[in-house]
Short mmCIF file of all heavy atoms in Angstrom, two decimals:
data_model
loop_
_atom_site.label_atom_id
_atom_site.label_comp_id
_atom_site.label_asym_id
_atom_site.label_seq_id
_atom_site.Cartn_x
_atom_site.Cartn_y
_atom_site.Cartn_z
N GLY A 513 29.31 -4.45 4.02
CA GLY A 513 30.28 -5.41 4.58
C GLY A 513 29.75 -6.82 4.57
O GLY A 513 28.59 -7.07 4.85
N GLN A 514 30.61 -7.73 4.22
CA GLN A 514 30.19 -9.12 4.00
C GLN A 514 29.57 -9.79 5.21
O GLN A 514 28.58 -10.48 5.16
CB GLN A 514 31.40 -9.94 3.52
CG GLN A 514 31.04 -11.38 3.20
CD GLN A 514 32.08 -12.06 2.29
OE1 GLN A 514 32.80 -11.42 1.64
NE2 GLN A 514 32.08 -13.40 2.32
N LYS A 515 30.11 -9.48 6.42
CA LYS A 515 29.65 -10.17 7.61
C LYS A 515 28.28 -9.63 8.06
O LYS A 515 27.65 -10.23 8.98
CB LYS A 515 30.68 -10.07 8.75
CG LYS A 515 30.83 -8.67 9.31
CD LYS A 515 31.86 -8.72 10.47
CE LYS A 515 31.98 -7.35 11.17
NZ LYS A 515 32.87 -7.36 12.30
N TYR A 516 27.88 -8.51 7.50
CA TYR A 516 26.57 -7.92 7.92
C TYR A 516 25.43 -8.24 6.99
O TYR A 516 24.29 -7.79 7.21
CB TYR A 516 26.71 -6.38 8.02
CG TYR A 516 27.73 -5.92 9.05
CD1 TYR A 516 28.95 -5.35 8.61
CD2 TYR A 516 27.49 -6.07 10.37
CE1 TYR A 516 29.88 -4.97 9.57
CE2 TYR A 516 28.45 -5.68 11.33
CZ TYR A 516 29.63 -5.13 10.91
OH TYR A 516 30.55 -4.69 11.81
N ILE A 517 25.68 -9.07 5.98
CA ILE A 517 24.60 -9.40 5.00
C ILE A 517 24.39 -10.90 4.93
O ILE A 517 25.33 -11.67 4.70
CB ILE A 517 24.98 -8.87 3.57
CG1 ILE A 517 25.11 -7.36 3.59
CG2 ILE A 517 23.94 -9.32 2.59
CD1 ILE A 517 23.80 -6.61 3.94
N SER A 518 23.17 -11.32 5.22
CA SER A 518 22.83 -12.74 5.19
C SER A 518 21.86 -12.96 3.99
O SER A 518 21.44 -12.03 3.29
CB SER A 518 22.08 -13.10 6.50
OG SER A 518 20.85 -12.40 6.60
N GLU A 519 21.45 -14.25 3.78
CA GLU A 519 20.53 -14.57 2.78
C GLU A 519 19.21 -13.90 3.01
O GLU A 519 18.55 -13.43 2.10
CB GLU A 519 20.30 -16.09 2.67
CG GLU A 519 21.43 -16.82 2.06
CD GLU A 519 21.12 -18.29 1.79
OE1 GLU A 519 20.06 -18.76 2.30
OE2 GLU A 519 21.88 -19.00 1.19
N LYS A 520 18.79 -13.77 4.29
CA LYS A 520 17.54 -13.09 4.61
C LYS A 520 17.63 -11.65 4.27
O LYS A 520 16.61 -11.05 3.85
CB LYS A 520 17.24 -13.26 6.09
CG LYS A 520 16.82 -14.67 6.49
CD LYS A 520 16.46 -14.76 7.93
CE LYS A 520 16.04 -16.16 8.33
NZ LYS A 520 15.75 -16.29 9.81
N ASP A 521 18.76 -11.01 4.43
CA ASP A 521 18.93 -9.64 4.06
C ASP A 521 18.73 -9.46 2.57
O ASP A 521 18.11 -8.45 2.13
CB ASP A 521 20.33 -9.09 4.49
CG ASP A 521 20.48 -8.99 6.01
OD1 ASP A 521 19.48 -8.66 6.65
OD2 ASP A 521 21.60 -9.21 6.48
N VAL A 522 19.29 -10.35 1.78
CA VAL A 522 19.14 -10.26 0.33
C VAL A 522 17.70 -10.37 -0.04
O VAL A 522 17.15 -9.67 -0.92
CB VAL A 522 19.98 -11.31 -0.38
CG1 VAL A 522 19.81 -11.28 -1.88
CG2 VAL A 522 21.47 -11.16 -0.04
N LEU A 523 16.93 -11.32 0.54
CA LEU A 523 15.52 -11.48 0.31
C LEU A 523 14.74 -10.23 0.71
O LEU A 523 13.84 -9.78 0.00
CB LEU A 523 15.00 -12.68 1.08
CG LEU A 523 15.31 -14.07 0.53
CD1 LEU A 523 14.91 -15.17 1.51
CD2 LEU A 523 14.63 -14.29 -0.81
N SER A 524 15.11 -9.64 1.85
CA SER A 524 14.46 -8.42 2.27
C SER A 524 14.67 -7.30 1.31
O SER A 524 13.73 -6.52 0.99
CB SER A 524 14.96 -8.01 3.68
OG SER A 524 14.68 -8.99 4.66
N TYR A 525 15.89 -7.17 0.80
CA TYR A 525 16.19 -6.13 -0.16
C TYR A 525 15.46 -6.37 -1.47
O TYR A 525 14.96 -5.41 -2.09
CB TYR A 525 17.70 -6.12 -0.40
CG TYR A 525 18.18 -5.10 -1.46
CD1 TYR A 525 18.18 -3.75 -1.12
CD2 TYR A 525 18.54 -5.50 -2.73
CE1 TYR A 525 18.61 -2.77 -2.05
CE2 TYR A 525 18.94 -4.55 -3.65
CZ TYR A 525 18.96 -3.21 -3.34
OH TYR A 525 19.39 -2.28 -4.28
N ALA A 526 15.32 -7.62 -1.88
CA ALA A 526 14.58 -7.94 -3.14
C ALA A 526 13.12 -7.55 -3.03
O ALA A 526 12.51 -7.04 -3.94
CB ALA A 526 14.75 -9.39 -3.46
N LEU A 527 12.50 -7.79 -1.81
CA LEU A 527 11.09 -7.50 -1.63
C LEU A 527 10.85 -6.02 -1.34
O LEU A 527 9.90 -5.46 -1.90
CB LEU A 527 10.58 -8.38 -0.46
CG LEU A 527 10.52 -9.89 -0.70
CD1 LEU A 527 10.31 -10.59 0.63
CD2 LEU A 527 9.37 -10.19 -1.63
N TYR A 528 11.63 -5.43 -0.50
CA TYR A 528 11.44 -4.06 -0.02
C TYR A 528 12.75 -3.25 -0.07
O TYR A 528 13.30 -3.01 0.96
CB TYR A 528 10.86 -4.07 1.39
CG TYR A 528 9.67 -4.93 1.58
CD1 TYR A 528 9.74 -6.15 2.30
CD2 TYR A 528 8.41 -4.60 1.03
CE1 TYR A 528 8.66 -6.95 2.43
CE2 TYR A 528 7.31 -5.38 1.22
CZ TYR A 528 7.43 -6.58 1.93
OH TYR A 528 6.37 -7.41 2.10
N PRO A 529 13.22 -2.92 -1.31
CA PRO A 529 14.55 -2.27 -1.39
C PRO A 529 14.66 -0.96 -0.62
O PRO A 529 15.64 -0.72 0.02
CB PRO A 529 14.70 -2.10 -2.89
CG PRO A 529 13.36 -2.21 -3.47
CD PRO A 529 12.59 -3.13 -2.57
N ASN A 530 13.62 -0.13 -0.69
CA ASN A 530 13.69 1.19 -0.02
C ASN A 530 13.66 1.05 1.48
O ASN A 530 14.44 1.67 2.21
CB ASN A 530 12.53 2.07 -0.46
CG ASN A 530 12.61 2.44 -1.94
OD1 ASN A 530 13.75 2.46 -2.48
ND2 ASN A 530 11.51 2.79 -2.56
N VAL A 531 12.76 0.19 1.99
CA VAL A 531 12.66 -0.06 3.45
C VAL A 531 13.94 -0.67 3.95
O VAL A 531 14.46 -0.23 5.05
CB VAL A 531 11.46 -0.95 3.74
CG1 VAL A 531 11.43 -1.30 5.25
CG2 VAL A 531 10.16 -0.29 3.32
N PHE A 532 14.49 -1.66 3.27
CA PHE A 532 15.73 -2.24 3.69
C PHE A 532 16.89 -1.29 3.74
O PHE A 532 17.65 -1.24 4.74
CB PHE A 532 16.12 -3.43 2.80
CG PHE A 532 17.36 -4.16 3.19
CD1 PHE A 532 17.36 -5.08 4.18
CD2 PHE A 532 18.61 -3.87 2.59
CE1 PHE A 532 18.50 -5.74 4.61
CE2 PHE A 532 19.76 -4.47 2.98
CZ PHE A 532 19.74 -5.43 3.96
N THR A 533 17.03 -0.45 2.71
CA THR A 533 18.07 0.53 2.65
C THR A 533 17.96 1.53 3.79
O THR A 533 18.95 1.88 4.44
CB THR A 533 18.08 1.25 1.28
OG1 THR A 533 18.25 0.28 0.26
CG2 THR A 533 19.19 2.26 1.20
N GLU A 534 16.72 2.01 4.05
CA GLU A 534 16.51 2.93 5.17
C GLU A 534 16.92 2.32 6.49
O GLU A 534 17.49 2.97 7.33
CB GLU A 534 15.00 3.36 5.20
CG GLU A 534 14.62 4.29 4.07
CD GLU A 534 13.12 4.54 4.07
OE1 GLU A 534 12.43 4.14 5.04
OE2 GLU A 534 12.62 5.26 3.15
N TRP A 535 16.56 1.04 6.66
CA TRP A 535 16.95 0.35 7.92
C TRP A 535 18.47 0.24 8.10
O TRP A 535 19.00 0.50 9.19
CB TRP A 535 16.31 -1.05 7.97
CG TRP A 535 16.82 -1.85 9.11
CD1 TRP A 535 17.54 -2.99 9.03
CD2 TRP A 535 16.69 -1.61 10.53
NE1 TRP A 535 17.86 -3.49 10.29
CE2 TRP A 535 17.35 -2.64 11.19
CE3 TRP A 535 16.06 -0.58 11.25
CZ2 TRP A 535 17.38 -2.67 12.58
CZ3 TRP A 535 16.09 -0.64 12.62
CH2 TRP A 535 16.76 -1.69 13.28
N LYS A 536 19.16 -0.14 7.02
CA LYS A 536 20.59 -0.28 7.08
C LYS A 536 21.30 1.05 7.33
O LYS A 536 22.29 1.13 8.09
CB LYS A 536 21.16 -0.93 5.82
CG LYS A 536 20.73 -2.38 5.63
CD LYS A 536 21.05 -3.29 6.78
CE LYS A 536 22.50 -3.61 6.92
NZ LYS A 536 22.78 -4.64 7.93
N ASP A 537 20.71 2.11 6.79
CA ASP A 537 21.28 3.46 6.97
C ASP A 537 21.06 3.84 8.46
O ASP A 537 21.91 4.52 9.06
CB ASP A 537 20.60 4.49 6.02
CG ASP A 537 21.05 4.29 4.58
OD1 ASP A 537 22.07 3.61 4.34
OD2 ASP A 537 20.37 4.83 3.70
N TYR A 538 19.90 3.50 8.98
CA TYR A 538 19.59 3.76 10.41
C TYR A 538 20.55 3.03 11.30
O TYR A 538 21.13 3.56 12.28
CB TYR A 538 18.18 3.33 10.70
CG TYR A 538 17.69 3.50 12.12
CD1 TYR A 538 17.06 4.67 12.52
CD2 TYR A 538 17.84 2.53 13.06
CE1 TYR A 538 16.64 4.88 13.81
CE2 TYR A 538 17.42 2.68 14.37
CZ TYR A 538 16.81 3.84 14.72
OH TYR A 538 16.40 4.03 16.02
N GLU A 539 20.82 1.69 10.95
CA GLU A 539 21.78 0.93 11.72
C GLU A 539 23.19 1.52 11.68
O GLU A 539 23.93 1.48 12.61
CB GLU A 539 21.86 -0.48 11.21
CG GLU A 539 20.80 -1.43 11.85
CD GLU A 539 21.18 -2.87 11.56
OE1 GLU A 539 21.86 -3.16 10.55
OE2 GLU A 539 20.75 -3.74 12.37
N ALA A 540 23.54 2.10 10.50
CA ALA A 540 24.89 2.69 10.34
C ALA A 540 25.06 3.84 11.33
O ALA A 540 26.18 4.13 11.78
CB ALA A 540 25.09 3.16 8.90
N ILE A 541 23.96 4.55 11.66
CA ILE A 541 24.05 5.71 12.58
C ILE A 541 23.95 5.25 14.02
O ILE A 541 24.70 5.66 14.89
CB ILE A 541 22.95 6.73 12.21
CG1 ILE A 541 23.12 7.28 10.80
CG2 ILE A 541 22.91 7.87 13.27
CD1 ILE A 541 21.96 8.08 10.35
N TYR A 542 22.94 4.42 14.30
CA TYR A 542 22.61 4.06 15.70
C TYR A 542 23.08 2.72 16.14
O TYR A 542 22.94 2.35 17.30
CB TYR A 542 21.09 4.16 15.88
CG TYR A 542 20.53 5.54 15.60
CD1 TYR A 542 19.83 5.83 14.43
CD2 TYR A 542 20.73 6.56 16.52
CE1 TYR A 542 19.32 7.07 14.15
CE2 TYR A 542 20.26 7.88 16.24
CZ TYR A 542 19.56 8.10 15.07
OH TYR A 542 19.08 9.33 14.83
N GLY A 543 23.66 1.89 15.24
CA GLY A 543 24.13 0.55 15.56
C GLY A 543 22.98 -0.44 15.71
O GLY A 543 21.86 -0.22 15.24
N GLU A 544 23.27 -1.60 16.35
CA GLU A 544 22.24 -2.65 16.48
C GLU A 544 21.37 -2.36 17.67
O GLU A 544 21.60 -2.82 18.81
CB GLU A 544 22.95 -3.99 16.62
CG GLU A 544 23.61 -4.50 15.35
CD GLU A 544 24.12 -5.95 15.51
OE1 GLU A 544 23.32 -6.78 15.95
OE2 GLU A 544 25.28 -6.21 15.19
#
Side-chain angles (χ1 to χ4, degrees):
Q514 183 161 339
K515 70 176 183 177
Y516 297 110
I517 298 298
S518 65
E519 284 187 353
K520 289 181 180 178
D521 290 326
V522 178
L523 284 171
S524 296
Y525 178 75
L527 291 168
Y528 308 106
N530 293 335
V531 174
F532 179 82
T533 301
E534 288 175 5
W535 169 247
K536 295 303 287 187
D537 290 344
Y538 179 89
E539 271 195 336
I541 298 171
Y542 299 106
E544 291 189 48

